[in-house]
Amino acid sequence: MATTAGTLPAVGAHSGLWSWLTTVDHKRIGALYGVSAMAFFIMGGIEAILIRTQLAVPNGTVLEADRFNQLFTMHALTMIFLGVMPLGAAFFNWFVPLQIGARDVAFPRLNALSYWVFIGGGLLFVSSFIFGGAPNAGWFAYAPLTSERMSPGSGMDFYVVGLLMLGLSSLIAALNFAVTIINMRAPGMTMMRLPVFIWMTLVVAFLLILSLPVLTVALIQLLFDRSFTTHFFSPEEGGNPILWQHLFWVFGHPEVYILILPSFGIISEVLPVFSRKPLFGYAAVVFAGVSIAVLGFAVWSHHMFTTGLGTVPQIVFSASTMAIAVPTGVKIFNWLGTLYGGNIRFTTAMYFAVSVIVLFTIGGVTGVMHATVPVDTQQQDTYFIVAHLHYVLFGGSIMGIFSGVYYWFPKMTGRFLHEGLGKLHFWLFFIGMNLTFFPMHFLGVGGMPRRIYTYDADLGFDTWNMVATIGAYIIAVGMLAFLWNFVRTMRQAPSAPNDPWGGATLEWATSSPPPEHDFDVVPEVHDRDPLWYNRDHGVTTPAAPAHLHIHMPPPSYYPLVLGGALLLMGIGVLSHLAVTALGVVIAIYAVWAWTLEPTD
Amino acid sequence: MTSETHGEAQLSEVRHIVPRIGPRQYVIIGVILTIITAIELWISYSPLGDLIIPLLIVLSAAKFIAVVAFFMHLRFDHQLLTRFFVFGFALAAAILFALIALFWTDATDAREPGAAHVAADAKAEPKAGADAKAGAAPKAGAAVSVKVTVKEFEVAAPAEVAAGAVKFDLDNAGAVPHNLRVIKSTQAPNALPVAAGAADESKLQVVAKTADINGGAKTSVTARLEPGQYLLICNVPGHYQLGMTTRITVK
Amino acid sequence: MAAAGAHGVAHHSTTGIDNRKLLMWIFLASECLFFGSLISTYLIFKGKSLVGPYPDEILDIPVTSISTFVLLMSSLAMVLAVYGAEHGRPRMMKLWLLVTILLGLTFLGFQVYEFRTFGHEGLNLATNQFGASFFVLTGFHGTHVGVGVLILASLLLASFRRSGLGREAGFHVEIAGLYWHFVDIVWIVIFTLVYLIPQ
């Protein structure tokens, strides 16, 4: 990577395919995650466009029912597990070490492994389209529809194996980031001086660590029901389909906080920088984030209000769901407080960040509506819920992620995304998103159910569905604007200075992009917003001594080999167990060699 | 590994804590664990009744804590490690209790009626006869026979029967196994509580039942019925919900 | 500042805890949720099997008590191996690593015997809810024991090199020991809830 003059030269190979396949550098792994996730995001978007095209008019003929079911299932799975989560991972990888003043994560090879398992699992997942059909029972895969009898193809088996692999990838990454943040902070970087982005990353890591095992058990039990004639979830021999729902949502609800908290962390960085004012109420924002995570384990049955839970459970989960709106509201007010009285710079990153406040609030308000059991009884399984979830996930997660993209692009690549094109991208997204999803509130209240592949002409759904489809196309054009911006920008030579925005956090104290070893000298940390503190108090960072040698961990191919072995194990479950056995043998070899590999 | 000196003094040196507990103490703990296990075994066979479960939980918790604190060195190690583990364990326990509470129904004896009720039939017959002989029963003579025909998915029986000893002759005219439950209930035929895919017999007053019989087979069961409303259902899982239920009034 | 070494080996860290030890404990917290979900499933289906064999007819408490004792003793052997490694006594470490492995294999042997006996008596995965939840719970526990045996065997094998387990022998054996003890305490919970508590 290019370094600006005066920094130390980095060691090791930097170009060529092999250097990418064996990298353990967090910045490269972040780039791999980012590019892969964007590609999957586009794929999920195409799936959405197909869905909206089918639903644009009544009695649409673009897609048949089964293909439609595959598309809405894969749209959700792709966006959640192959889009938003790895985009978050891209930023964790890039900026956690930089913001805490470390030079890499605690376990660089494990970091690489989590990427290879992700890409293997992701490709396995999407390959289901050509190997007998994608999963088609919804991303939440309710039993007994997912039983062998009712879903006889291989689609649901791809679901199980793919999610097990993706879960493993996320778990490994989460363990890595938790240890890194707790144990590798620069001197002076106490927990309450951490950037909010880092706090959110830590909270997300613990959510993953504690919720993924429950999903793993649910998936294993589904696999056994489908392949070994157990009856965990099918009622014929005494199984219980509601058990699947409970286990799934004990994971699934923390999962939605996993999807939104990175975005909250990003805008908590962007808003202060472009208001030229510190974040309002740092401690409240941090504690609110932690509360959301803890409470997030106590609300899961609000996805099940219409399953006959019983009065007491409904009351308990309704109350806890309303309670969780409070810390979220705290954050909203703190962001508004940050903007208030600030010297606002209207960059594209700032546009996206401010839009998160607006759009997530809309989604949050409808969320509180769902928390009321009688109201939810009408709204469940209608387009009202689709409206809610897209306001929080698109308006919240996606807009926040793109804020991070525009904010951190100069740091990652040394180049600036064009502001004019960026603002066009923003407006197309903002207008398109509202056109697509706001009318869905009306459709839902008007009675349009979810997951229907078409609808009749005289039900009052026609106009709003057409509007929603137009909005979706506008979003697509916005994405094209972004891609054009990206291509155009990458053709330029890098020219960004260390700190183009006047940032507060440590990543802006090194070159854009940083050298392999991140910092020549890590700045002293005396307070939150360390760079602002140092600037205001005249603290300077000394230049690096002339003969300083910083040793970074060497590249390794064992993460790739082990990732490949795990992929083989998954493929074997879907085809011949001999392939799984081969994968196990290679995995044992890879782990053995990895453990004995010299790292200095 | 690094020769950088800036700020290093402010980090904590990684200390590998070797606890001052030696083989003797470990063996003692091992012996205690064995003794506790033996006590647990005794308790599980003992007639302590309701005390068994709390005692077992307390004792196994003691073993759990002993291994975590001493063998895993948590007692001697950094407090943060204890906090992480306890948090994970507490969350797992909380979710476990929540799930059990959400699925709580009274224990259902879902076993085959089988042998126990063949014996009941054998016992019921002589009893009805004896009553008839003694002349003590309000209704003179042998038990009234009621023909009940079952097939997919309905139960056919007379609407009324006389109170007293009633012998239900069950005839399976269908192709799959069915059974019969005689339930005293004023509920509508399809309004009985359901659990685990069948009518919830633990919440119902089942006055007679038969074993499952195959298509084409017959069986019978006799019961003494007071006047009132009864329901005749087949309770093979799923069959009740599919409509195998009918009312019979005992007068 | 702390070096970002590949193993997470650092002379310094923010908390003074070694990165790898912290990783193992957080991983064990995650495993609590894994086994907690499997145990929840077992308890939810307790008493809900529609056909036999039922637990009180088929579980062999005396035999399983012996295998429980074996696993408990393996934890004792493990901690003695750690002691030997930490105090620079490689022969003690190797001996007790071997004993731990043998006891672990014995436990697995008991499990295999139990599974096969149950199979002969008509209980398998598909038979009823007890079969499904029992075999999945104890099967995955047994798999964890098996992985633990592999880890300990690798350590034992590596200890026969000229450099043995290196400067950090005590640490490596201790980390492996944490995993092994965890698998043991999960069995303590399973033995109580599945076998001992009245059906």
Side-chain angles (χ1 to χ4, degrees):
Chain A
M1 296 188 178
T3 61
T4 58
T7 59
L8 297 172
V11 292
H14 284 294
S15 55
L17 178 63
W18 189 244
S19 74
W20 283 93
L21 294 176
T22 58
T23 185
V24 297
D25 178 352
H26 69 96
K27 300 182 289 298
R28 283 201 159 192
I29 295 171
L32 285 170
Y33 264 111
V35 170
S36 315
M38 271 300 173
F40 282 122
F41 176 70
I42 292 170
M43 183 175 163
I46 293 174
E47 286 159 347
I49 290 289
L50 286 169
I51 291 171
R52 286 305 334 156
T53 310
Q54 162 67 9
L55 292 175
V57 294
N59 299 306
T61 51
V62 171
L63 296 168
E64 288 174 344
D66 183 63
R67 188 60 89 179
F68 185 89
N69 294 347
Q70 292 178 31
L71 281 174
F72 72 66
T73 304
M74 289 302 285
H75 166 74
L77 291 167
T78 304
M79 286 302 196
I80 291 171
F81 293 103
L82 306 180
V84 174
M85 285 174 83
L87 282 170
F91 286 128
F92 301 157
N93 268 284
W94 251 100
F95 292 104
V96 167
L98 284 168
Q99 285 194 333
I100 66 175
R103 289 210 162 86
D104 207 318
V105 294
F107 302 100
R109 287 178 298 174
L110 267 185
N111 202 17
L113 176 67
S114 76
Y115 174 76
W116 295 118
V117 175
F118 154 72
I119 197 69
L123 290 174
L124 185 76
F125 231 144
V126 304
S127 75
S128 62
F129 275 117
I130 51 178
F131 288 118
N136 59 358
W139 85 280
F140 44 81
Y142 278 179
L145 178 60
T146 50
S147 64
E148 181 67 29
R149 194 161 55 89
M150 301 208 193
S151 291
S154 55
M156 292 315 300
D157 300 310
F158 273 91
Y159 175 88
V160 169
V161 176
L163 272 187
L164 283 173
M165 286 187 70
L166 293 170
L168 180 67
S169 161
S170 292
L171 180 68
I172 294 171
L175 290 168
N176 213 343
F177 284 112
V179 174
T180 304
I181 291 170
I182 291 167
N183 236 10
M184 293 182 70
R185 290 169 273 139
M189 177 74 76
T190 60
M191 291 301 287
M192 292 307 276
R193 290 179 184 169
L194 283 174
V196 173
F197 178 70
I198 303 297
W199 264 110
M200 296 300 104
T201 306
L202 181 64
V203 169
V204 165
F206 272 98
L207 283 173
L208 283 164
I209 289 164
L210 297 171
S211 67
L212 278 170
V214 184
L215 176 69
T216 305
V217 167
L219 290 170
I220 288 172
Q221 287 173 173
L222 178 60
L223 180 69
F224 271 69
D225 267 16
R226 287 179 61 79
S227 303
F228 302 118
T229 57
T230 51
H231 296 276
F232 286 105
F233 307 124
S234 44
E236 295 91 58
E237 306 295 322
N240 198 328
I242 305 297
L243 178 62
W244 166 268
Q245 294 196 28
H246 278 292
L247 290 175
F248 181 84
W249 287 115
V250 169
F251 156 76
H253 198 81
E255 167 67 9
V256 314
Y257 296 114
I258 289 164
L259 293 172
I260 193 63
L261 287 177
S263 171
F264 282 1
I266 291 172
I267 71 171
S268 301
E269 301 297 318
V270 170
L271 290 170
V273 169
F274 294 113
S275 311
R276 279 177 269 225
K277 226 178 130 233
L279 181 70
F280 185 90
Y282 170 93
V285 175
V286 166
F287 284 122
V290 173
S291 318
I292 289 172
V294 172
L295 273 174
F297 274 103
V299 300
W300 78 87
S301 282
H302 68 222
H303 299 270
M304 300 166 60
F305 279 149
T306 54
T307 60
L309 291 170
T311 316
V312 172
Q314 284 180 331
I315 294 174
V316 168
F317 283 105
S318 178
S320 59
T321 307
M322 293 188 195
I324 208 168
V326 173
T328 316
V330 165
K331 284 179 176 274
I332 301 277
F333 282 112
N334 278 296
W335 291 323
L336 292 174
T338 307
L339 290 168
Y340 182 77
N343 186 352
I344 313 284
R345 275 180 297 167
F346 291 100
T347 58
T348 309
M350 190 59 159
Y351 274 46
F352 275 103
V354 173
S355 75
V356 168
I357 302 177
V358 173
L359 297 171
F360 186 84
T361 301
I362 296 175
V365 165
T366 52
V368 178
M369 290 184 201
H370 307 325
T372 312
V373 176
V375 179
D376 183 69
T377 311
Q378 186 192 9
Q379 295 170 345
Q380 172 72 349
D381 274 343
T382 68
Y383 263 78
F384 200 91
I385 308 272
V386 180
H388 160 73
L389 74 91
H390 284 95
Y391 265 89
V392 292
L393 285 179
F394 194 116
S397 301
I398 296 292
M399 300 301 262
I401 285 169
F402 275 104
S403 176
V405 170
Y406 282 91
Y407 175 59
W408 276 317
F409 205 81
K411 177 57 56 182
M412 294 189 283
T413 64
R415 303 157 173 92
F416 291 91
L417 284 167
H418 186 266
E419 279 291 305
L421 268 176
K423 290 186 175 139
L424 174 65
H425 168 206
F426 169 78
W427 285 113
L428 288 169
F429 261 26
F430 188 84
I431 293 171
M433 180 269 172
N434 280 293
L435 264 183
T436 311
F437 300 115
F438 203 81
M440 290 187 184
H441 295 104
F442 309 137
L443 285 171
V445 170
M448 183 173 175
R450 291 174 78 168
R451 301 173 222 119
I452 51 171
Y453 81 105
T454 190
Y455 52 91
D456 262 339
D458 48 359
L459 294 168
F461 299 156
D462 304 12
T463 318
W464 293 127
N465 267 294
M466 177 55 78
V467 171
T469 302
I470 293 171
Y473 277 94
I474 294 175
I475 295 174
V477 173
M479 196 60 193
L480 288 174
F482 171 74
L483 290 171
W484 172 231
N485 198 352
F486 178 82
V487 167
R488 198 171 163 280
T489 303
M490 293 309 287
R491 287 207 203 126
Q492 301 163 356
S495 63
N498 286 16
D499 185 9
W501 309 122
T505 42
L506 291 181
E507 74 269 31
W508 305 106
T510 186
S511 60
S512 302
E516 191 193 355
H517 53 275
D518 288 354
F519 297 99
D520 290 344
V521 178
V522 180
E524 288 175 31
V525 176
H526 297 285
D527 202 353
R528 282 171 217 154
D529 301 327
L531 292 194
W532 285 356
Y533 180 93
N534 292 355
R535 174 195 65 193
D536 292 343
H537 292 80
V539 176
T540 54
T541 306
H547 297 292
L548 184 58
H549 174 72
I550 297 173
H551 178 82
M552 296 301 291
S556 168
Y557 53 76
Y558 291 116
L560 183 65
V561 173
L562 183 54
L566 290 166
L567 179 61
L568 279 180
M569 284 166 66
I571 291 175
V573 171
L574 295 169
S575 55
H576 300 287
L577 281 179
V579 177
T580 300
L582 175 64
V584 170
V585 169
I586 298 176
I588 292 178
Y589 155 72
V591 172
W592 172 265
W594 171 321
T595 320
L596 294 176
E597 186 178 40
T599 51
D600 44 0
Chain B
M1 266 196 200
T2 173
S3 46
E4 186 182 20
T5 53
H6 179 75
E8 206 168 43
Q10 287 172 265
L11 287 177
S12 306
E13 188 173 336
V14 169
R15 261 164 292 116
H16 179 50
I17 300 174
V18 177
R20 285 204 302 207
I21 173 174
R24 223 174 80 90
Q25 286 87 348
Y26 288 133
V27 170
I28 292 174
I29 295 173
V31 168
I32 293 175
L33 291 172
T34 308
I35 293 175
I36 295 179
T37 309
I39 295 175
E40 284 176 330
L41 190 57
W42 178 82
I43 288 178
S44 75
Y45 283 116
S46 75
L48 284 170
D50 279 337
L51 273 182
I52 292 182
I53 294 182
L55 274 177
L56 285 175
I57 290 180
V58 166
L59 285 174
S60 58
K63 287 198 298 190
F64 189 100
I65 293 172
V67 173
V68 172
F70 294 103
F71 284 3
M72 295 172 86
H73 293 166
L74 259 196
R75 201 176 173 308
F76 311 104
D77 240 321
H78 196 294
Q79 233 194 7
L80 195 60
L81 299 174
T82 304
R83 291 199 194 135
F84 283 138
F85 182 73
V86 167
F87 187 77
F89 180 81
L91 184 66
I95 292 178
L96 183 138
F97 286 125
L99 284 174
I100 292 181
L102 284 160
F103 280 92
W104 187 260
T105 53
D106 295 331
T108 315
D109 183 355
R111 300 195 190 189
E112 291 278 27
H117 292 275
V118 171
D121 288 349
K123 278 201 300 206
E125 296 272 13
K127 190 161 183 287
D131 284 343
K133 273 207 217 114
K139 302 279 187 241
V144 175
S145 280
V146 171
K147 187 164 164 60
V148 181
T149 307
V150 287
K151 66 177 197 312
E152 297 79 65
F153 284 99
E154 60 179 33
V155 177
E160 289 183 4
V161 70
V166 180
K167 175 165 174 271
F168 292 95
D169 290 313
L170 184 67
D171 182 353
N172 186 346
V176 302
H178 294 292
N179 61 37
L180 181 68
R181 306 291 189 251
V182 182
I183 299 172
K184 191 172 201 304
S185 170
T186 52
Q187 303 264 43
N190 45 26
L192 294 177
V194 166
D200 190 351
E201 296 187 23
S202 68
K203 293 195 162 77
L204 299 169
Q205 193 181 349
V206 180
V207 299
K209 52 181 166 180
T210 70
D212 289 5
I213 54 171
N214 287 328
K218 296 184 184 1
T219 188
S220 65
V221 64
T222 306
R224 245 202 129 62
L225 300 184
E226 305 289 331
Q229 299 291 328
Y230 292 79
L231 291 175
L232 300 175
I233 73 168
C234 165
N235 211 19
V236 171
H239 287 197
Y240 169 71
Q241 296 93 314
L242 286 166
M244 293 191 71
T245 172
T246 189
R247 178 179 298 297
I248 186 169
T249 307
V250 177
K251 292 218 153 113
Chain C
M1 61 143 270
H7 270 309
V9 173
H11 294 150
H12 297 81
S13 72
T14 310
T15 59
I17 307 172
D18 186 287
N19 284 353
R20 292 162 295 173
K21 185 182 266 201
L22 185 59
L23 181 74
M24 178 55 84
W25 275 107
I26 299 179
F27 172 67
L28 293 181
S30 168
E31 288 268 78
C32 286
L33 271 299
F34 180 79
F35 281 107
S37 305
L38 286 172
I39 293 171
S40 297
T41 302
Y42 179 85
L43 291 176
I44 284 168
F45 285 127
K46 194 171 161 80
K48 300 261 179 7
S49 292
L50 297 178
V51 297
Y54 299 97
D56 52 357
E57 300 166 345
I58 201 170
L59 290 177
D60 189 342
I61 314 281
V63 167
T64 315
S65 301
I66 297 174
S67 70
T68 302
F69 170 74
V70 164
L71 200 60
L72 276 177
M73 289 303 106
S74 79
S75 259
L76 175 61
M78 183 74 233
V79 85
L80 292 172
V82 172
Y83 184 88
E86 285 173 341
H87 288 84
R89 293 163 63 172
R91 280 191 5 210
M92 179 181 181
M93 171 191 80
K94 288 175 190 168
L95 167 67
W96 289 107
L97 269 181
L98 181 63
V99 172
T100 311
I101 292 168
L102 291 174
L103 289 173
L105 286 172
T106 307
F107 175 84
L108 285 176
F110 271 98
Q111 280 229 285
V112 170
Y113 165 76
E114 187 189 38
F115 280 22
R116 293 183 57 175
T117 309
F118 287 5
H120 290 316
E121 292 177 11
L123 183 73
N124 55 45
L125 275 170
T127 311
N128 56 13
Q129 297 307 96
F130 168 60
S133 54
F134 173 83
F135 284 117
V136 170
L137 170 61
T138 55
F140 271 94
H141 175 263
T143 309
H144 277 73
V145 175
V147 167
V149 167
L150 274 176
I151 293 173
L152 294 177
S154 310
L155 276 179
L156 183 58
L157 214 66
S159 72
F160 282 103
R161 302 177 305 169
R162 218 142 43 101
S163 56
L165 288 179
R167 279 175 301 127
E168 289 194 299
F171 183 77
H172 291 307
V173 179
E174 185 191 5
I175 298 293
L178 289 177
Y179 176 83
W180 187 263
H181 293 305
F182 181 77
V183 168
D184 181 23
I185 61 180
V186 171
W187 183 255
I188 290 175
V189 177
I190 293 177
F191 182 58
T192 305
L193 293 178
V194 173
Y195 292 86
L196 290 181
I197 281 187
Q199 306 304 330

